[in-house]
Amino acid sequence: MVATNILSLYHLSSTTSFFQSTLKSSPSTVPDHLTTHHQPDKSTSTASAVSFSAPPKDLLLYSKLSPIASACHNYPDLLHEYMNYTPFSTCSSDTDLAEKLILRGCHPLPRRRCFSRTPRNPTDSKPESNVIWSYYSCKTFDSLTTKFPGLGFDLSLDKSKSQFSSYKSELDLPISQLLQIAKTANSVLRLGIDVGGGTGSFAVAMKARNVTVLTTTMNFNAPYSEAVALRGLVPLHVPLQQRLPVFDGVVDLVRCGRAVNRWIPVTVMEFFLFDLDRVLRGGGYLWLDRFFSKKVDLENVYAPMIGKLGYKKVKWAVANIVDSKHGEVFLTALLQKPVAR
C-alpha cells in the first residue's frame, strides 16, 4: 500500500510538471486558420461578424491540451466568439451559437472554464421552471403544444404511449407489434437509440416496456433536450453527421424518425447508415420510420444504399404522400442485422 501511494504521488507530480512545462515551453499548436482572422461567411448570423484581433486565450490554451474538431476551421469567427468569455465566471448566453457550430460540423466543441447558466427556482411540480426560456421564442410547454401540436411537447405519459400504439396504415409499426416480432425471432430488446427523437416520446413509450432508449436531439428554437431530460431520459446532443457516442455492437434497436430523410446529402447518408450498423449488435433491428423521398430516388438511390447493409427485410412499406407535387413517398422499414458477418 505504501509503495502504491508513493507511485501515485510520483505520477501526479510528474503529470503536473509535464503539463506545466508543456504550457510554458511548447509553441502554439493552434492551426493557422484559427489564429488568422477570416471574413465571416455572409450566410452566418450577424453575431459572427464580431472581429477579433487575436484568438481568445482559452482557445489557445485548450488547443494545447486537446485537438480542435477539423470542421471548425471553416468558421473561425463563430469559434472565436464561442471561446471569447471570462474564465471562472458565468458562461455567456450563447446556446444558439453552440448549436450553429455543432450543425456546421464543429463538434465536439472545445471545453470551457465557465459556469453553465441554470434556471432560477426550478421545481418538480412546474416543468417550465426547469428551462431557461430566454433562449426560445415560446415561453411555456403549453404554448409550444398549442403552436406545434405534432412535436411532442405534451409531456404526458398517455400521449406518448398512444402515439406508438395505434395502427392506421401500413406505415405504422406499433410497439406491441415490434416487441412481438423480436420475441418471435428470439431477439431481446434492452437498449435502443432514437435518432432525431425530438422530445423523447418514443423513449417514454419504450421505457414503459422496460426498454431503455437514448434520444439524439438538437434544440431548434425549442427546448427538446430539456423536455427529454424532464421525462427522466437521456438526451444526446449530437447532430446527424456526428459519430454516435456509443461503443460497437451494443445496441438492440435504432429508430430513425422523420429527421432522417432525403434532405441529407447522399454521401453523408451512407456514412450515417454504416455508423448505425456499427452500434447495432448482430440480430439487432434498424427501424426507418416514415423516411420520405421522391419515389424515383427511393428506387434508384436509397433502396440500393440500404441494401448494401445486407439486412433482412422484416417490414418494407411504401406509400404516396398525400397532395405531394413531386412524387414523394414515405418508407417504413424494419430491418434485421445478420447475427454474424
Side-chain angles (χ1 to χ4, degrees):
M1 181 179 295
V2 173
T4 301
N5 290 337
I6 293 174
L7 287 174
S8 298
L9 288 172
Y10 174 76
H11 171 72
L12 289 173
S13 61
S14 299
T15 302
T16 303
S17 300
F18 169 77
F19 278 112
Q20 288 178 344
S21 62
T22 299
L23 295 178
K24 290 180 180 179
S25 61
S26 65
S28 173
T29 56
V30 184
D32 291 340
H33 54 258
L34 295 182
T35 59
T36 305
H37 175 70
H38 290 243
Q39 290 298 321
D41 187 344
K42 293 181 180 179
S43 65
T44 61
S45 66
T46 55
S48 66
V50 178
S51 177
F52 298 99
S53 58
K57 291 182 179 180
D58 263 37
L59 178 58
L60 295 173
L61 174 62
Y62 186 84
S63 65
K64 294 178 180 180
L65 304 175
S66 181
I68 302 295
S70 61
C72 295
H73 80 274
N74 293 322
Y75 311 97
D77 297 282
L78 288 176
L79 183 63
H80 283 201
E81 184 178 356
Y82 178 75
M83 292 298 291
N84 192 39
Y85 65 95
T86 303
F88 315 116
S89 63
T90 303
C91 297
S92 303
S93 180
D94 55 7
T95 298
D96 59 334
L97 179 59
E99 294 270 324
K100 291 173 184 176
L101 281 166
I102 292 173
L103 289 173
R104 287 166 170 78
C106 183
H107 191 270
L109 292 173
R111 291 177 174 176
R112 301 193 293 189
R113 298 179 297 166
C114 57
F115 300 105
S116 62
R117 293 175 177 268
T118 56
R120 296 180 180 178
N121 304 317
T123 61
D124 294 336
S125 60
K126 295 182 178 180
E128 280 82 3
S129 66
N130 292 270
V131 179
I132 302 178
W133 291 99
S134 60
Y135 296 153
Y136 313 111
S137 56
C138 289
K139 304 304 179 184
T140 64
F141 284 120
D142 287 340
S143 63
L144 281 168
T145 301
T146 302
K147 190 173 182 180
F148 308 105
L151 293 185
F153 284 101
D154 182 345
L155 304 184
S156 64
L157 178 59
D158 291 339
K159 180 70 174 180
S160 297
K161 285 184 176 180
S162 64
Q163 185 177 348
F164 294 95
S165 62
S166 61
Y167 185 91
K168 298 179 181 179
S169 74
E170 58 183 347
L171 295 173
D172 293 323
L173 180 59
I175 288 178
S176 58
Q177 183 180 0
L178 171 65
L179 295 176
Q180 184 59 46
I181 290 172
K183 182 179 180 180
T184 303
N186 294 319
S187 182
V188 179
L189 298 184
R190 294 158 297 203
L191 178 64
I193 298 178
D194 190 14
V195 179
T199 61
S201 296
F202 177 67
V204 169
M206 292 298 282
K207 182 180 180 181
R209 302 294 190 113
N210 295 320
V211 180
T212 300
V213 174
L214 309 177
T215 303
T216 76
T217 189
M218 296 291 292
N219 282 26
F220 295 119
N221 197 32
Y224 289 95
S225 295
E226 294 94 321
V228 174
L230 285 170
R231 291 171 147 180
L233 303 167
V234 180
L236 298 178
H237 192 219
V238 294
L240 292 176
Q241 69 268 32
Q242 171 67 26
R243 185 179 189 270
L244 289 170
V246 178
F247 193 68
D248 301 1
V250 297
V251 175
D252 304 307
L253 170 70
V254 175
R255 174 184 174 268
C256 298
R258 298 191 186 186
V260 179
N261 54 61
R262 72 180 182 90
W263 297 114
I264 301 174
V266 173
T267 304
V268 175
M269 177 71 77
E270 193 165 57
F271 277 99
F272 169 73
L273 288 176
F274 275 85
D275 194 42
L276 301 185
D277 174 78
R278 177 185 64 81
V279 301
L280 272 173
R281 65 167 176 82
Y285 292 93
L286 171 59
W287 176 10
L288 300 177
D289 191 359
R290 285 177 168 77
F291 175 90
F292 80 86
S293 71
K294 293 181 179 179
K295 184 177 182 180
V296 64
D297 290 338
L298 177 61
E299 295 173 348
N300 298 329
V301 179
Y302 298 111
M305 183 187 298
I306 295 169
K308 291 179 182 179
L309 296 174
Y311 286 15
K312 175 185 176 181
K313 289 183 179 179
V314 180
K315 179 182 177 73
W316 187 277
V318 179
N320 294 325
I321 297 178
V322 179
D323 299 328
S324 172
K325 298 180 180 180
H326 305 288
E328 292 176 320
V329 296
F330 279 131
L331 164 69
T332 290
L334 183 65
L335 310 164
Q336 186 176 28
K337 181 176 179 176
V339 175
R341 293 291 191 183

